[in-house]
Amino acid sequence: MPPPLCSRVLLSHPFSPMSLMALREQLNMLVNSMYIEGLLDQQFQQLQMLQDASSPGFVAEVITLFCEDAERILTELTKLVDQAVVEFQKVDAYVHQLKGSSSSVGAQNVKLACIQFRQFCEENNKDGCLNALNVVKHHYYLLRNKFDTMLQLEQRIQAYDSKQQN
Amino acid sequence: MGGEMIEDADAEVLSSMWPVDIGNEARKQFNIENPGMGRDMLKDVTIKEDPSVVDFKRLLELTNYSEKGSSQLAYLVKHWQYKHVNTARLINEELDILNKQRQEVELKKQEILEEHQFEEERYTGSRRQLSVLDEVCDIWGRVPKRRNDVLAYNKKLDIDAEYGTVIYWKERAIQLDKMLEASIHREQTLMQKLQETIKNLETKSSPVEELSQILKRADNFLHFILQTAPVVIGHQDKELRYRFIYNHFPSLEGEEIIGKTDVEIFDGDGVKEIQDFKREVLERGLPAKREMTFDTPLFGAKTFLIYVEPVFSKEGEKIGVNYMGMDVTDQVAKREKMVKLREEMAVQKAKETELNRTIHITEETMRAKQMLATMSHEIRSPLTGVVSMAEILSTTKLDKEQRHLLDVMLSSGDLVLQLINDILDLSKVESGAMKLEATKFRPREVVRHVLQTAAASLKKNLTLEGHVGDEVPVEARVIGDVLRIRQILTNLISNAIKFTHEGKVGINLDVVSEKYPGFREEQLKVRSGASVSPLTRQSADSSSERQSCNDRETSHCPSSQENIDENGIILQRASLIDDEQDNHSQHENIVWLRCDVYDTGIGIPEKALPSLFRKYMQASADHARKYGGTGLGLAICKQLVGLMGGNLTVTSQENHGSTFTFILPFKVLLKQDSGSADEMDISDGEAVAVSTKDEIVGSFLFKPRKLIDSVVRKTKLYRSCNYGALGTSNQLSEESDLFSSNYESKKSASPPGVSANSDARCSMAEAEGPAEQNCDIKVYGFGNANKRDEECTDAKQGFTVHKFDNSNMDHCRIKKIDQSECERMMSADGDNMAISDKCHPTCQSQGHDKENGNAQCLPNSRSPKILLVEDNKINVMVAQTMMKQLGHKIDVVNNGLEAIRALQHFHYDLILMDVYMPVMDGLQATRLIRSFEEHGCWDASVVIRDEHATPRSDLSPYYPAAGQCRKRIPIIAMTANAITESAADCLASGMDSFISKPVTFQNLRQCLQQYLPC
């Protein structure tokens, strides 16, 4: 099993410049704060673990994919829930997808909100669904902002990395 | 004053006077108010006197002669007497009083006179002293002071003059004179009054008058009470002639009734009875009550409660009856209705209870059976795997001991398989799921094959013989389910052989007279009574039979027994059936075939006979130990025979042998000209050429040990015939045996059929052993299996035939699977040539994924192939990356249906399956995959959809070799919520394990380690 991302990076680059160290520190801080806030859970570590030399941009790739997917789903959901007659089955299917994705990337709050959302779907509760959708959106955009920051940090770190390798 | 007293006495007496006839004690049952008031009350009431009709003469007689009447009369007289005595007493009293008063007055008068006399004497002579006792001797005081006004006389004389003077005395004399005068006057008045009273008494009403008045009053009351009551009151004399009747239903005039009997007046139901009843009461002399129903033209149907009492004369003779009837029709109707309702309720309740119990029992039974069937089914699949692996193992190089162990293993496995197959068969019949085929067959060939099969594996010194009656139809014109008939025969024969140590075992086949109506009815009765199976086929109902037969032939169910050969000409057949349907109405006939399977074995004790056909029953525990077996064989036979509309019976003599007899109805086609088409349908496993050669033979004899050495090859041949008998396409196996001899002729006869046939044979060969496409090799393959069987029988005698059949069954299943697969492909596609291409296994590399193709061509390649079934892109990405890190490359599909498609084309060692997916979820996909693994064919819906939805002409389907086909692919569920419930669902659907999502590295690796041993 490969060691966790951060320690590995630190170990393999013991003499990197301060700015790089600072960037990594910042990234670690960010991720830790996201754990603390409940935005992320252990699953995200799994993603980080999967990122190695053979797939350097893996986390970024997954996050981008997740965000695209989530936004598409949220758009669909907004449409569906706004309709006079809500097709709860469709809604449920989308929420399920979002739940699957979010749980895969470790987006804990979004996942939990999705679970709540699905319950309202099962009850065919339109108001509940509307509320839940808002909650999901809220959590998602919160997460997305953080992810954006994270991705920027990652990019900069990678830029340093590639520069060093060169 | 006096009158008032009389009135009081009168009322008092009346209260106890009436009616006397109800009892001698003065019970107050009949109270009448005072006449004055009573009159007032009754004045407003109109009393109809019509209803009562009285024979007065009789009444007189009655009152004179009957005890009751006389006592009543006597009482009336007594009452009158009492009354008058009372009156007389009162008058006497009054007289007494008057007399006393008179006496007093006279006394007084005398006193006064004496006084005056004394006074005068005083005047003239000596003066006498005044009585001092004047006050003391007060006689008035002694007189009872009954009347105050009487006492008023005792007044002091009030005289103003001085005592002793003349004036005084004069005054006093005058006063006394006056008093006397008044007294006399009063006396006169009283006398007058007395005279008047006496006069009054004389003129007062006579007793008769009074009596009649009383009677009248009572009568009025009676009428008043009875006028609307639904009662009839009557009196009848000794001859039961009416003397009095009061009838609320006045429809008869008096003269019509009086002096007549009931019978004379009425006619209809109940009249005679009431007359008899009255007579009975009269004779017995005791009152009685009875409810009687009348139905007379006069009253209609009415029910009366009748009370009849006898009337006695003073001498104690019976002189008639009183009777009273009350109309209780409504009450009786209500009561009867209630009784009926109660009865119905009770019956209903009882029924309900019974039904509930039955339902409960049935449910329990069904559940138990279902459970058993499911369990058996579940056990069979892995067991089949074990046995087939062992079989494959037996083909490898083994030393002697290993082979021996393997043989024991195989025979044990076969035994268990046999048991399970039996259970499944039985539950199939019982649940009604067993469907009978209707195919043409030749009965004598069936008998021959069964015997040949038995002979081939015979290890005892027994003679097998068969005899087929001349009347038994020779050509293939008998319609029935030949497979099941064979099963029955084989079972019976194997049983016979099992329990026979020397002598012979044989089959007799005869036609029971067609014109034997009694027999058939009896058969039908037996069938319905025995309740053999829920699906009893009425063979007599030829139209429905035809219909169902037709349905079966045109529909392509997966378990269809149709030959490959037939599929080639499926369209022709369909049209043929239409023709047949028209012809059948004229050309078919029912024939009852009687089949005896006899032996000279140990026989069956009489006490074991009743339970012989019951499940899991053997003649005794000793037998079970000695001969083995499950005790299901005969139960299955019995049920199958019942299902076909016949009956299986047994006669047996201990130590001399048993005979099992079943009689089955079959339809027989009368002669038709469409000979060649007919031959195509024959499903009894005999090729045309053979049948024409042998069809004259009516008897078969198989001497012990005769065939074994000389024709080993032939033995195999017959065995493979038997495969057909036990559930697979007969013609195919037949074809493979007689391949060399018949192939050419067949080919020329029906080219399309043959081409399909040869294809099917090839695919079958593949199923039989890996990479074997040669038909000859296949035959050897059978030979191997059979050889193994024979060796097994060496090791374990007694199960010979059963076990053998069973291993056959097992083989059949595998083959059948492949055939039906091909069959479906063919019918779906319709192009035989294309199918023939498809049926050939090819290892072409796939256009889009070369690696897959390679892996498929090299099933033993080191790197295991993993299929991920997941619709979520992110999940896919994560899982893919994880697998990559773990060193595995995986194929990804997005839903269950795609997974099945992938499986249809490639081989995988592991499947990771998401549960919740669009199009087809993981549970369903798993179920379909498991079903494929077991039956070797995909569910029709999947296949058809595959054919139509994604025509992949570039992909050649890969049919895995038999061994791989049987292998269970591990399927790991990936569940989003790993709560126990969904885990249970996964396992129930046939998944091996589950990983909860999101998938983690750890989980995945553990799972791979567990399921990919490499």
Side-chain angles (χ1 to χ4, degrees), chain A residues 1-19:
Chain A
M1 185 200 251
L5 172 81
C6 298
S7 58
R8 181 180 56 85
V9 169
L10 283 172
L11 283 172
S12 59
H13 301 280
F15 308 113
S16 49
M18 274 309 287
S19 56

Side-chain angles (χ1 to χ4, degrees), chain A residues 1-2 43 46-47 49-50 52 58 61-62 65-66 69 92-93 96-97 99-101 103-105 118, chain B residues 871-875 877-878 881-885 914 916-918 976-977 997-1002 1005:
Chain A
M1 185 200 251
Q43 184 65 18
Q46 296 272 330
L47 296 188
M49 278 192 273
L50 291 173
D52 60 4
F58 176 70
E61 207 179 320
V62 170
L65 193 62
F66 167 72
D69 198 39
D92 189 57
H96 176 78
Q97 275 185 33
K99 191 192 127 202
S101 313
S103 87
S104 270
V105 296
R118 286 196 77 185
Chain B
D871 63 320
N872 192 305
K873 278 184 278 178
I874 292 142
N875 291 351
M877 193 172 167
V878 172
T881 316
M882 282 179 177
M883 291 302 250
K884 204 168 91 188
Q885 288 213 339
D914 185 21
Y916 189 94
M917 284 179 294
N977 42 349
K997 284 209 285 193
V999 181
T1000 63
F1001 217 75
Q1002 192 72 26
R1005 192 160 54 177

Side-chain angles (χ1 to χ4, degrees), chain B residues 68-82:
Chain B
K68 197 178 277 181
S70 60
S71 73
Q72 185 174 334
L73 207 66
Y75 200 91
L76 275 172
V77 170
K78 220 165 110 192
H79 161 69
W80 187 81
Q81 279 172 349
Y82 172 76

Side-chain angles (χ1 to χ4, degrees), chain A residues 5-6 27-28 30-32 34-35 39-51 58-60 62-63 66 102-108 143 146-147 150-151 154, chain B residues 882 998-1000:
Chain A
L5 172 81
C6 298
L27 181 61
N28 270 346
L30 175 66
V31 172
N32 280 337
M34 285 170 83
Y35 281 132
L39 288 176
L40 291 179
D41 60 17
Q42 296 304 308
Q43 184 65 18
F44 189 72
Q45 277 187 353
Q46 296 272 330
L47 296 188
Q48 288 180 313
M49 278 192 273
L50 291 173
Q51 181 164 290
F58 176 70
V59 173
V62 170
I63 287 174
F66 167 72
S102 51
S103 87
S104 270
V105 296
Q108 186 172 243
L143 181 70
K146 301 262 183 179
F147 271 155
M150 191 194 288
L151 289 187
E154 288 256 9
Chain B
M882 282 179 177
V999 181
T1000 63

Side-chain angles (χ1 to χ4, degrees), chain B residues 663-674:
Chain B
I663 301 165
L664 286 177
F666 293 104
K667 274 205 295 290
V668 179
L669 298 180
L670 298 182
K671 286 241 177 339
Q672 286 182 73
D673 49 358
S674 57

Side-chain angles (χ1 to χ4, degrees), chain B residues 16 38 71 108-109 112 257 270 284 339 436 565 577 587 657 692 706 736 752 757 760 773 824 836 863 899 916 965 977:
Chain B
S16 60
S71 73
K108 194 93 180 175
K109 192 181 170 187
I112 292 163
I257 298 176
R284 287 176 57 206
V339 167
L436 292 175
D565 203 53
I577 286 157
H587 293 303
T692 49
K706 199 177 159 189
S736 52
N757 199 10
Q773 291 189 37
R824 198 175 300 106
S836 87
S863 101
Y916 189 94
C965 166
N977 42 349

